[in-house]
Amino acid sequence: MAGAAAAGGEGWSSRWAFILAAVGSAVGLGNLVRFPAEAGANGGGAFVIFYIFCVLLIGLPVLLSETLLGRHGQRSAIESVKKVAAESGASQWWSLAAGVGMVAAFLVLTYYSVLAGWVIYFIGVFAGDLGGPSGLFGGALSDYSVEQVQGILPALQADSSTMLLMHAIFMSITIFAVARGVTSGIEKVAVWLMPSFFILFLGITIYGAFTGAFGAALEFLFAFDPSRLLDPNVQLSALGQALFSLSLGSALMITYGAYASRDVNLAKTSAQIASADTSVAIIAGLAIFPITFAALAPEALAAVLAGEEQVQGGLGLLFVSLPVAFQTMPAGGIIGLLFFIMVFFAALTSSVALLEASVSWAVDRFKIARWLATAILGGAAYLIGAWASFSFNSQAEFQPLDFLIFSGQPVFGIIDELTAKIMLPVSALLVAIFVGWVANRQLIDSENGISGGLHRVWLFLVRWLCPLVITAILLFGLFPGLLG
Ligand code: PHE
C-alpha cells in the first residue's frame, strides 16, 4: 500500500510505519528528561494528575485535529492548513496555526540537540566503564568516587568544545536521516529504533522496580496535593509538557498526517499514539525515581516525600542523580550504558521529526532539493543551539528577558519556556479554533474517523474545552497577578 503523495510524493509505507514514526516523534527527551524534571520541580502528584487531564481532554482532541488537517491537505503543514482554509472559504491567515508551530519545532530542535549531545557523551562515559574508549572519558566509571560522578555533568558543561562536538555529532545524524527522505530516512529510523527502544525500556523498568525504591517513587508521583493542583504555574507547566510530549502545537502531527494514507483511521491511531506516549512518560518516572531514590539517605527521602525538600529537579536528575545511583547498583555500569543508548534512540526519532516540520515546508514552498533544505535548516539550528549551550558556562549570567516566566533564565531556558509554555499552546489553540469553528464541517468529518457519541464528545472538546482551557491556563500561567 503506497502512502500519501504529500510534499515530494513521499509517504509512510504502511499504517504501522505511520504509528511507529508518530510514536517515535512523541517519545523522546520530553518523556525521559523533561517529564521527570518538571514533575520533580512542580511537586510530583499535582503536576502528574493535571498532566494526565491535559493529555486526555486537550492533547487527544488536538492530536486528531492536527493529523486530519495534514491528511486532508496532503502537503507541508502550512500549505495543508491553507488548503483546508481555502476549501472552507476561510482566510489564509489560519495557516499561522501551523506557522507558529513550525517555528517552535525549529527552536526546540536547537536545544534538543545540545541535550542529546550530552546523552551521547554519557554513552561514552558508561562505555568507558566497560573497557571502551576510556582514555577519552578519563578511565573506568567504577573507579570514580561519588563526587567524581557528580562532577561529570558540570565538567562537560564547562567544556564548550566537547559540548559543541557532541551537539555536532547528534545534529549531523539527524540531518543525515532527514535528508534521505520520509520513507528511506525518517521511517527507517523509526522502524528500527522504536522496537529496540521498547525492549530496552521494558528491561530497565523491571530492573528499577526490583532494585530501586519503587514504593517511594509511586508515592511521590501520585501523592495528591489539592492546593498545588490549583497553582497556575503547575497548570501551565503540565499543559506545556502534555503538548510538548505529544509533539503538538509544533506543526509536526500535521506534517506526519500528510504522509498517512486514506485508509488509516485517524481517531484510532491518535488514541494509540497518545496512550503509548503517556505510558512511556509515567513508566519512565516509575523507573527513574526509584533508581535515584534508592541512592538517597533515608532521612533525605523522607523529607522529599513530605514535600519539605525538593528532589533534584531539572537536568541534574538524569545526568547527575541517575549516574550516581547506577554506580552503586548491581550491574549498574552496563544498565547505565543501555539506559543512555535507549535515551539516544528516543531522542533521534524525535529530532528527525523536529527538523522535518520545517524541511517539508521549505521543500514544498520553495521547491528546493530536500538535502539542501535539510542542510540549511539543520545548520541554522546547530548554530542557535551552540549559542544556547553557552548558557551553561560563559553566558550563564546573560539573561536578556528578565520578566514573567523568563526571569532568571539564560538563553537555553528562554527557548525552552518560550516554546513549551507559549508557542505550543498558542499553536494548539489556533488549531482547535480552526478545526472546531472555522473549517468546513463535512470536510472535517470525512477525515476524522469517528461518529455518534464519540464524535459529539470530540467536537465539544475541540470547540469549547480546548480553546477555553488553553486560553485560561495561558493567561493565568503567564500573569499569575490576574488571580489577585
Ligand atoms: N515529543 C518530543 C519529546 O517528547 C519532542 C517533540 C516536540 C518532537 C515537537 C517533535 C515535535 O521529546
Side-chain angles (χ1 to χ4, degrees):
M1 175 188 64
E10 289 201 272
W12 310 121
S13 51
S14 64
R15 180 178 113 85
W16 194 223
F18 172 40
I19 295 187
L20 282 178
V23 170
S25 107
V27 172
L29 297 178
N31 306 59
L32 304 169
V33 181
R34 212 173 179 283
F35 176 77
E38 292 276 304
N42 288 295
F47 171 85
V48 175
I49 290 164
F50 206 76
Y51 167 79
I52 294 173
F53 166 86
C54 290
V55 166
L56 286 177
L57 298 182
I58 297 174
L60 195 50
V62 171
L63 178 56
L64 175 55
S65 307
E66 292 202 2
T67 49
L68 77 79
L69 284 176
R71 205 213 5 227
H72 189 83
Q74 291 293 300
R75 298 187 60 183
S76 65
I78 293 182
E79 302 300 325
S80 285
V81 178
K82 277 194 184 157
K83 183 173 160 202
V84 174
E87 288 177 19
S88 310
S91 158
Q92 297 286 296
W93 282 101
W94 284 104
S95 63
L96 257 180
V100 172
M102 185 187 81
V103 175
F106 175 82
L107 288 175
V108 169
L109 177 64
T110 65
Y111 77 85
Y112 207 85
S113 170
V114 174
L115 286 181
W118 297 2
V119 173
I120 295 181
Y121 184 82
F122 273 83
I123 292 177
V125 168
F126 279 93
D129 191 35
L130 297 174
S134 49
L136 185 58
F137 298 101
L141 192 68
S142 49
D143 297 336
Y144 280 33
S145 66
V146 169
E147 287 72 32
Q148 280 171 323
V149 178
Q150 287 170 334
I152 298 174
L153 179 67
L156 172 63
Q157 290 175 333
D159 175 3
S160 272
S161 37
T162 307
M163 233 185 340
L164 291 180
L165 176 66
M166 300 296 141
H167 172 40
I169 294 173
F170 187 80
M171 193 65 92
S172 308
I173 303 174
T174 303
I175 291 177
F176 179 75
V178 174
R180 292 188 52 111
V182 178
T183 324
S184 33
I186 297 175
E187 177 178 319
K188 282 259 154 41
V189 168
V191 167
W192 283 99
L193 297 189
M194 283 322 283
S196 322
F197 168 85
F198 276 107
I199 293 170
L200 288 170
F201 187 65
L202 196 72
I204 289 169
T205 307
I206 294 173
Y207 171 88
F210 279 109
T211 45
F214 192 70
L218 211 58
E219 187 179 333
F220 175 72
L221 283 176
F222 295 102
F224 184 63
D225 175 357
S227 66
R228 305 263 348 225
L229 203 55
L230 296 176
D231 179 342
N233 264 318
V234 172
Q235 294 184 351
L236 183 60
S237 302
L239 173 69
Q241 177 60 23
L243 297 175
F244 186 95
S245 192
L246 292 170
S247 308
L248 294 174
S250 60
L252 190 268
M253 288 297 178
I254 309 181
T255 310
Y256 273 20
Y259 303 138
S261 66
R262 295 244 23 121
D263 51 5
V264 172
N265 179 313
L266 293 177
K268 194 168 135 205
T269 311
S270 299
Q272 286 163 335
I273 298 167
S275 25
D277 183 65
T278 309
S279 317
V280 172
I282 293 184
I283 296 171
L286 290 177
I288 291 170
F289 283 111
I291 297 173
T292 53
F293 282 173
L296 284 181
E299 317 80 69
L301 182 57
V304 166
L305 291 180
E308 293 154 9
E309 201 85 53
Q310 280 255 343
V311 277
Q312 165 82 273
L315 303 168
L317 188 61
L318 204 81
F319 296 101
V320 179
S321 309
L322 205 62
V324 168
F326 278 138
Q327 207 216 11
T328 62
M329 295 173 87
I334 176 95
I335 301 288
L337 176 65
L338 293 175
F339 180 86
F340 282 101
I341 291 178
M342 170 189 92
V343 179
F344 170 75
F345 287 173
L348 189 63
T349 54
S350 297
S351 65
V352 295
L354 288 165
L355 183 53
E356 175 67 11
S358 52
V359 164
S360 68
W361 172 75
V363 170
D364 192 12
R365 174 78 177 69
F366 303 110
K367 309 288 177 244
I368 54 175
R370 172 172 273 272
W371 70 264
L372 185 62
T374 314
I376 294 173
L377 289 161
Y382 176 80
L383 292 178
I384 301 176
W387 181 46
S389 77
F390 298 136
S391 297
F392 296 104
N393 46 59
S394 56
Q395 296 196 4
E397 299 307 317
F398 179 59
Q399 298 165 1
L401 303 182
D402 200 17
F403 52 83
L404 300 181
I405 52 172
F406 303 119
S407 63
Q409 298 277 7
V411 173
F412 196 94
I414 290 177
I415 301 179
D416 181 45
E417 298 276 308
L418 172 70
T419 49
K421 295 186 182 164
I422 299 180
M423 296 178 81
L424 304 188
V426 166
S427 168
L429 173 66
L430 293 175
V431 165
I433 298 176
F434 181 67
V435 169
W437 296 99
V438 180
N440 178 286
R441 280 258 63 76
Q442 263 161 351
L443 182 162
I444 297 294
D445 289 343
S446 70
E447 295 284 349
N448 61 17
I450 37 176
S451 54
L454 213 53
H455 179 256
R456 279 196 294 278
V457 173
W458 175 72
L459 201 59
F460 169 77
L461 294 175
V462 176
R463 286 194 148 173
W464 296 102
L465 194 101
C466 295
L468 293 175
V469 172
I470 297 176
T471 307
I473 295 180
L474 259 176
L475 283 180
F476 294 127
L478 293 178
F479 310 104
L482 289 179
L483 286 175

